[in-house]
Every structure is written in structure tokens, then in C-alpha cells.
Amino acid sequence: TDKHFGGTMSDFNFDEPVTAPAKKSLIAKLAGLSTKVKLITAASVALLLGGGGAFAYSALNTPDAVVGLALAGAFSEAHPSLEVDVAIKSAAGSGSGSVTIYTADTGSLASISAQAQLAGQPVGATLNVLAAKSGDIYANLADFDSLGYYLVTAGLLPEPTVTSARGVLNGTWVQISKAEVDTYTAAATASQSCISTKLSDTAYAKQVSSEFTSTLRNNNFIVVKKELPQVDGDRVFELGLSAEKLRSFATELKKTALYADATACSPALNISDSQIQQINQTDIDNTFKRAHLSVKLQANGFSHKLTKISIDAADASSTQTLNITLKPLGDQSSKVVVPSKSITVTELLTALSTPSY
């Protein structure tokens, strides 16, 4: 009898001939064990699995792992959407704005809202811009009554012109065709077209995307400076940059097909080896200090999903401050709808040239 198990060693069927053919399945052999041995075996397996699970969770719960998972999860969705809020404060005045970006197979939609205090007056407007997959762009201006009032009272535009603009633009989409876009951006068209043509190849786009992601993953230059107190169950981290990793990322990036093709299309994007070697930790740290720059990442404490990223900066006297907040919104592709009705730029100009009294 074993003094620890409280059973006999025969429970393990050790008296079975060694030369006997191994015809029993593993399940059948386990079924043949005594109840005590089954309980001991189950407890041992549970302990191993539990310990392994705890270790795995611990490994994925480190600050670097949480930040990595949060960033990867936010930007690896098929149709990511993002809200960016900006607030500026200075002695001359203050203002705030937001840019909400939605993506879909049909294109992308950006909703840009801005509010400010100018000469003691509140001024604001919302511009919606939809870039269709076809290359056409649609624009819509809304919530611009305060802007129109300011333009009139400041003597920048006559009231009839502003009234016409309000009547034409309010709730109306203006279409800018791909041909018109190419004409308006002729100076930059060559390099942009070169890159766009390559990225329009789905296989190529997937290849360079995977290549870039792998390069960033292996040379992640975003580091955790310290973990801050939790906020509503979210874990909060202050982030910084590693010069060493940034140099290695830039060096490896130069070996990718994306870099080779991008610099072939636009040589101005080229980064020399000497420029890479000039990247150093002292300059990075001093830049953060001079700008009073703080970057914080907030992620769900359990799922590690990104809640938001906050960027704060200020001048030496803190009379001028800047705050930028980025929040992932998940898949909002249903909001990207190409307008079924719109007017052309020519129709818009004709309407604006006919003042309403």
C-alpha cells in the first residue's frame, strides 16, 4: 500500500506482462484505473492546466503585452473607425474640434467638426467628406450658422452670399469627380497615382501590409514608461519611444517592398542610413520634456481592448495647451453610404453666384 495515495500499486496494473501487445486505447486504460487514481490524475491535470493558464494570463497581462494587444486589436479590424478630438487653449483664444473617420468596402467618410471663440463670438461648422472607391469625392457642409454670422459681422462676406450658401449647402452633397480631383491635385498626382496604382492590387496590398505589420511587431518602438492608477477598471499606461527600436524599425523598413516602391514613386520619402543613425534617446527625451509631452494609453483591464489614447502638450508657461484624444469605434462601415443625390461643383458655383435677398 502506498502511504501517500492510500491505495495499492496494483491500481496501476503493473502486473500486466511487459511483452503484451499494446492493444488497449489510452481511454480504455484510464477507464481501468481505480477511483482514487482517477481523482489523483484529474487533480494533477487540472493543476497543470490551471498553472499553465495562469502563466499564460500573466504573460499576456504585462504592461508591454497589454499595450501591444490594445494597439494591434484597434487597427487590425477589417473596417476600423476612429474618433479624434482636439482641444487647444491659448491666451488669444480657445477652440476644439473632432474628426470621426469611418471605413468600408465602398470608401471612407470623415466628419470634421470645429468650434472656436473668435472676437468673443462662438464660431463652428461641420464638414463631411466621403471618398468613394470610384475616386469621386462628396462634400457636405452643415451646422455653419455661427460661422456664417461671424463672416457677415466681421465684414468678410456680404450677407446675401452667406444666405445663398446656406440655402445651397445645407443638407446637400457636392460631388467632385475623380477627373476634377486629378485636375485640382495635378502637382501631387504623379507620385500619388504611382502609389495608389500599386496599392489597388489586392494581393500586393496584403503583402505589404503583412510585411509592414511584421516589421513593426519585431521592432516595436513604443515602450511603456510606467503604469498609472486604473480608471473605471481600465489599465492606464504612460508611453514613450525607444530610440534603439526606432532605429532598428527604420533599418528593417528600408528592406521592405513597400519602402522600395514608395521611394521609387516619391524619392522625397527616402531616409538615409545617416539620418537613421542620428536618432538617439537623448533627443527624444528632450523633445518630450520641452513640449511637456505626455502620451497615455487606456485599455480594458480584462479584454485589453483599446479605450483611448491621450496626447497632451504645453509650452513652458502652460499658457498654451494642446490635447488630442483618439478613440476606436469598431466597425461602423454601415455609415459609409455613397450619396444617391448630389450637385456638381459647377452647379454649386452657379448657385453661389446668385445671391438670395
Side-chain angles (χ1 to χ4, degrees):
T1 302
D2 185 275
K3 63 181 179 179
H4 298 294
F5 295 166
T8 65
M9 298 302 289
S10 62
D11 288 331
F12 288 94
N13 296 328
F14 286 152
D15 55 347
E16 184 179 16
V18 177
T19 57
K23 294 182 178 179
K24 287 187 178 180
S25 67
L26 177 60
I27 295 177
K29 289 187 177 182
L30 289 174
L33 298 178
S34 70
T35 301
K36 290 182 180 179
V37 174
K38 287 178 183 177
L39 290 174
I40 294 168
T41 303
S44 301
V45 171
L47 182 62
L48 286 171
L49 291 177
F55 175 78
Y57 179 77
S58 177
L60 294 176
N61 215 33
T62 63
D64 287 333
V66 173
V67 169
L69 290 170
L71 292 174
F75 300 106
S76 62
E77 294 185 2
H79 303 115
S81 295
L82 181 70
E83 178 183 326
V84 181
D85 297 311
V86 180
I88 302 173
K89 183 179 180 182
S90 69
S94 61
S96 62
S98 66
V99 179
T100 307
I101 301 171
Y102 309 102
T103 62
D105 292 335
T106 54
S108 61
L109 170 65
S111 180
I112 307 165
S113 298
Q115 300 82 35
Q117 287 284 338
L118 297 176
Q121 295 184 35
V123 178
T126 298
L127 174 65
N128 299 306
V129 179
L130 189 148
K133 190 176 181 180
S134 63
D136 294 344
I137 292 179
Y138 299 82
N140 169 275
L141 189 63
D143 305 325
F144 59 95
D145 284 350
S146 60
L147 174 61
Y149 179 77
Y150 172 77
L151 293 174
V152 172
T153 56
L156 299 175
L157 284 177
E159 185 173 355
T161 300
V162 173
T163 302
S164 292
R166 183 185 296 110
V168 174
L169 294 175
N170 196 19
T172 301
W173 286 96
V174 178
Q175 180 188 21
I176 307 173
S177 68
K178 182 180 183 302
E180 289 172 317
V181 172
D182 291 343
T183 300
Y184 297 149
T185 60
T189 297
S191 61
Q192 289 180 352
S193 176
C194 173
I195 297 173
S196 298
T197 300
K198 290 181 178 297
L199 291 176
S200 63
D201 183 336
T202 304
Y204 174 83
K206 287 184 178 180
Q207 174 197 337
V208 296
S209 175
S210 175
E211 196 175 32
F212 179 84
T213 303
S214 177
T215 302
L216 181 58
R217 185 191 307 114
N218 295 332
N219 304 276
N220 183 13
F221 50 84
I222 300 174
V223 295
V224 177
K225 287 186 174 180
K226 61 182 176 180
E227 183 164 3
L228 303 172
Q230 293 191 6
V231 175
D232 299 328
D234 284 353
R235 295 179 67 179
V236 185
F237 306 94
E238 183 176 350
L239 305 181
L241 298 177
S242 165
E244 179 183 0
K245 287 291 187 180
L246 186 54
R247 287 194 301 269
S248 64
F249 169 75
T251 299
E252 293 303 313
L253 182 65
K254 292 186 67 173
K255 301 175 184 178
T256 63
L258 175 62
Y259 178 85
D261 292 336
T263 52
C265 291
S266 179
L269 296 175
N270 183 59
I271 305 171
S272 67
D273 292 339
S274 60
Q275 288 176 313
I276 294 175
Q277 292 309 312
Q278 289 173 11
I279 300 172
N280 64 84
Q281 198 63 50
T282 300
D283 286 347
I284 290 176
D285 294 342
N286 286 339
T287 299
F288 271 70
K289 289 178 182 178
R290 283 195 300 269
H292 295 270
L293 183 62
S294 171
V295 182
K296 299 184 183 71
L297 180 145
Q298 188 172 324
N300 183 279
F302 180 75
S303 67
H304 301 163
K305 288 188 66 175
L306 178 64
T307 301
K308 67 178 181 178
I309 295 175
S310 301
I311 303 172
D312 294 284
D315 62 2
S317 60
S318 294
T319 56
Q320 297 184 44
T321 61
L322 169 68
N323 171 261
I324 302 175
T325 304
L326 298 86
K327 300 177 184 176
L329 303 177
D331 189 337
Q332 301 284 333
S333 55
S334 61
K335 296 190 176 185
V336 183
V337 180
V338 177
S340 57
K341 294 182 179 180
S342 62
I343 62 174
T344 65
V345 174
T346 301
E347 291 172 326
L348 170 64
L349 295 176
T350 301
L352 291 178
S353 63
T354 307
S356 298
Y357 294 92

